[in-house]
Amino acid sequence: IPILIIHVTDGKFVDVNGAFHNMSGYRREEVIGVSASELNQWVIPDDLRRLEMTLREQGTVHDFETRLRTKSGLIQDVLMSAAPIIVSGERYIVILAYDITARKQHEIELQAIARLSAALRTAPSRTEMLPAIVDELVALLNCETVAIEIIDPQTGDTVTEAAHGIWAALTGTRQKSGTGINTIISQTRKPYSTNDFQSDPNFIYPEWFNDIHGCIGAPLIAQDQLIGFAWMGRKSGIVEAEVRLFTAVADIAANALHRATLHEQSKKDAAELVLAYDSTLEGWAHALELRDQETEGHTRRVMQMTVELAKAMGVNEHELENVRRGALLHDIGKMGIPDSILLKPGTLNEAEWEIMRRHPEYAYNFLVSIDYLRPVLDIPYCHHEKWDGSGYPRGLKGVEIPFEARIFAIVDVWDALRSDRPYRTAWTNEKVRKHIVEQSGTHFDPQVVQAFLEFLERNNQNSND
């Protein structure tokens, strides 16, 4: 253990042992009679002054961490245990010094890894993860340039997705599978490092290594799958401890990127599935419209207008999707109505009307068993209910009727009455508007009627503008 004895009064070294020479590089004869401040060994001079003051005032053992500069200029982290002694009336400080540089470096590395892990946990996508990985590598390893390459699963080529320093210009470029050091890393699944890349025949792009002497490439492996490579380069050399640290960061980064990729792929798959479902629903609606011989485009128009009105009345974005799908399938129950009734050119008799009024129940029975469509049931099942309770199929009254169905009911009547049918000509906008106002409080929810009229007014103004 290095031992230093310093005179309190003048701060000069009185004695040091051989271990001090091994730690600092200074020989005993170089320091005896020289003050600690003259030696310029303390990186933080205030540490020595605080130590001397504390020992004068308290006279107790004092433990503290500081940083010392070796004769060669290397900075060391040191834990010191100091105690006062008195010899022949003279006050001295005896210091035991422990080199904790490796421990401090390990602490810094753990802190950096913890920071990176925290950053990657909060980054929702690969796009946000990649800069965090690059920035942490630059700061942690004090390097000039970094690159993260991801393997394209379709071609096997590597794509530089993020980079710093001179390699930033490589972002977006591709390297063919089976070329360069990536091939060696792929085969060994171990990091590749060099302090003399200029003479290394495996580097196929020397122009990207100007002024770079130390270089590390590490595999990005997640769940035993090679997904890419991490690279760093700097002007100074690379030591083995830095290779281990770089590899540890690469492992953390690989797993985080893999999770993000799976998450993004699952979201993409889900979106494609939703698109497929919606295309199917639109196909059903179109087939029903053709069978029912309704005015072309009725379903599309009422769907769009219902969504716009619902949005204006504060329905959130998530629920708007259910409104859209519900409006699209509002008459899906008519698939269960016989052609002889659905396509009858004349007026339906009471028995036929009894069957026709069952189409909301048919819609419910058809859709309720499909988990994906259960949230859209309100409009197909309830859009023929009336505010005063005289509607069908269940005779719901007032707010018992789902809000989306109350909105749709007005839009459906508005579009239907404004369209030509075999048994009547289309009504004018003013006549339909008057009818809706008259039915407020009986057929329609008065609050929705008011919102609908304001909605029409706004749209009319916008069209005039």
Side-chain angles (χ1 to χ4, degrees):
I1 299 173
I3 299 176
L4 304 76
I5 301 177
I6 301 175
H7 197 288
V8 170
T9 303
D10 57 18
K12 293 183 178 181
F13 287 96
V14 175
D15 204 357
V16 296
N17 66 354
F20 174 79
H21 167 68
N22 295 335
M23 181 183 75
S24 68
Y26 289 101
R27 297 188 307 276
R28 182 175 182 273
E29 57 268 25
E30 289 181 289
V31 298
I32 301 302
V34 177
S35 70
S37 57
E38 289 174 341
L39 197 61
N40 195 32
Q41 189 180 24
W42 255 263
V43 176
I44 309 173
D46 283 347
D47 280 354
L48 180 60
R49 286 193 287 271
R50 280 194 296 268
L51 170 65
E52 294 171 350
M53 187 177 299
T54 300
L55 292 175
R56 281 198 194 99
E57 293 174 353
Q58 298 180 0
T60 59
V61 175
H62 181 62
D63 295 330
F64 66 103
E65 291 183 8
T66 188
R67 307 190 79 196
L68 298 182
R69 184 181 292 104
T70 68
K71 186 176 181 180
S72 63
L74 181 68
I75 304 300
Q76 293 175 310
D77 290 287
V78 179
L79 172 63
M80 290 189 164
S81 182
I85 61 171
I86 299 176
V87 179
S88 302
E90 296 288 335
R91 296 173 62 86
Y92 300 91
I93 304 172
V94 177
I95 301 175
L96 305 182
Y98 304 87
D99 186 351
I100 59 171
T101 304
R103 191 197 78 185
K104 294 293 288 186
Q105 181 60 32
H106 187 56
E107 290 175 359
I108 292 170
E109 292 169 2
L110 290 177
Q111 291 169 1
I113 289 173
R115 283 197 309 272
L116 177 61
S117 298
L120 295 182
R121 282 196 300 272
T122 58
S125 66
R126 282 196 345 173
T127 302
E128 291 174 291
M129 283 183 178
L130 287 165
I133 296 168
V134 169
D135 291 345
E136 198 59 53
L137 285 173
V138 170
L140 184 59
L141 293 163
N142 190 30
C143 51
E144 279 76 28
T145 189
V146 168
I148 304 295
E149 300 175 326
I150 301 299
I151 296 174
D152 183 340
Q154 303 299 321
T155 64
D157 299 344
T158 57
V159 181
T160 303
E161 293 200 1
H164 169 84
I166 61 172
W167 293 346
L170 292 172
T171 303
T173 61
R174 305 174 75 91
Q175 181 176 326
K176 294 294 292 182
S177 175
T179 61
I181 296 180
N182 285 347
T183 303
I184 299 174
I185 297 174
S186 299
Q187 294 168 349
T188 64
R189 295 204 166 194
K190 293 180 180 179
Y192 188 103
S193 64
T194 181
N195 285 318
D196 186 17
F197 87 92
Q198 297 287 357
S199 60
D200 194 322
N202 294 308
F203 282 88
I204 61 175
Y205 299 115
E207 64 272 19
W208 293 108
F209 291 87
N210 291 333
D211 297 327
I212 300 299
H213 297 282
C215 187
I216 310 172
L220 298 176
I221 299 174
Q223 296 184 355
D224 203 36
Q225 177 184 352
L226 180 66
I227 65 170
F229 308 90
W231 284 93
M232 66 82 78
R234 70 179 182 207
K235 296 178 181 180
S236 57
I238 305 292
V239 298
E240 184 61 31
E242 291 172 321
V243 176
R244 291 195 300 270
L245 176 59
F246 188 78
T247 304
V249 173
D251 288 343
I252 294 171
N255 284 288
L257 290 170
H258 185 62
R259 288 195 301 273
T261 300
L262 292 178
H263 179 63
E264 290 170 6
Q265 185 61 49
S266 66
K267 287 175 62 177
K268 180 182 177 183
D269 291 344
E272 291 176 350
L273 184 60
V274 168
L275 182 61
Y277 278 142
D278 285 351
S279 297
T280 300
L281 301 187
E282 290 173 8
W284 288 353
H286 184 62
L288 178 62
E289 199 170 67
L290 292 175
R291 177 173 180 260
D292 195 14
Q293 298 181 355
E294 286 198 3
T295 302
E296 183 180 359
H298 166 73
T299 299
R300 178 182 54 78
R301 289 194 304 272
V302 295
M303 176 188 70
Q304 182 176 345
M305 194 173 195
T306 301
V307 168
E308 291 175 356
L309 178 57
K311 185 175 182 180
M313 295 191 72
V315 175
N316 64 48
E317 290 294 331
H318 175 71
E319 291 300 324
L320 284 177
E321 277 302 303
N322 291 331
V323 170
R324 186 181 68 81
R325 294 173 185 135
L328 193 64
L329 298 175
H330 71 279
D331 272 345
I332 193 66
K334 288 183 179 179
M335 297 290 282
I337 304 298
D339 286 351
S340 59
I341 296 175
L342 187 66
L343 305 180
K344 185 177 179 178
T347 303
L348 300 181
N349 60 41
E350 188 56 37
E352 291 168 335
W353 265 118
E354 183 66 26
I355 295 173
M356 178 64 82
R357 291 191 186 99
R358 291 179 187 168
H359 78 268
E361 296 178 71
Y362 294 158
Y364 177 87
N365 293 333
F366 179 49
L367 300 176
V368 73
S369 61
I370 305 174
D371 289 342
Y372 175 71
L373 297 178
R374 199 171 293 141
V376 313
L377 274 169
D378 285 346
I379 290 177
Y381 191 28
C382 304
H383 70 287
H384 283 297
E385 303 286 359
K386 294 185 178 181
W387 185 254
D388 62 3
S390 64
Y392 61 90
R394 291 180 291 165
L396 300 180
K397 182 177 181 179
V399 293
E400 295 175 345
I401 306 169
F403 183 55
E404 290 82 357
R406 284 180 263 152
I407 293 175
F408 179 82
I410 293 179
V411 175
D412 191 35
V413 169
W414 167 263
D415 190 82
L417 293 179
R418 293 170 62 246
S419 303
D420 287 323
R421 296 296 168 86
Y423 48 86
R424 62 159 174 79
T425 58
W427 290 13
T428 64
N429 287 358
E430 190 55 40
K431 184 177 180 180
V432 180
R433 188 194 300 262
K434 181 179 179 182
H435 172 76
I436 289 175
V437 172
E438 290 172 348
Q439 293 296 309
S440 177
T442 53
H443 189 166
F444 305 122
D445 177 350
Q447 180 184 359
V448 179
V449 169
Q450 182 60 37
F452 179 71
L453 296 176
E454 292 172 359
F455 174 79
L456 290 180
E457 184 62 28
R458 284 196 303 274
N459 282 1
N460 185 52
Q461 290 178 353
N462 290 338
S463 62
N464 290 338
D465 292 342

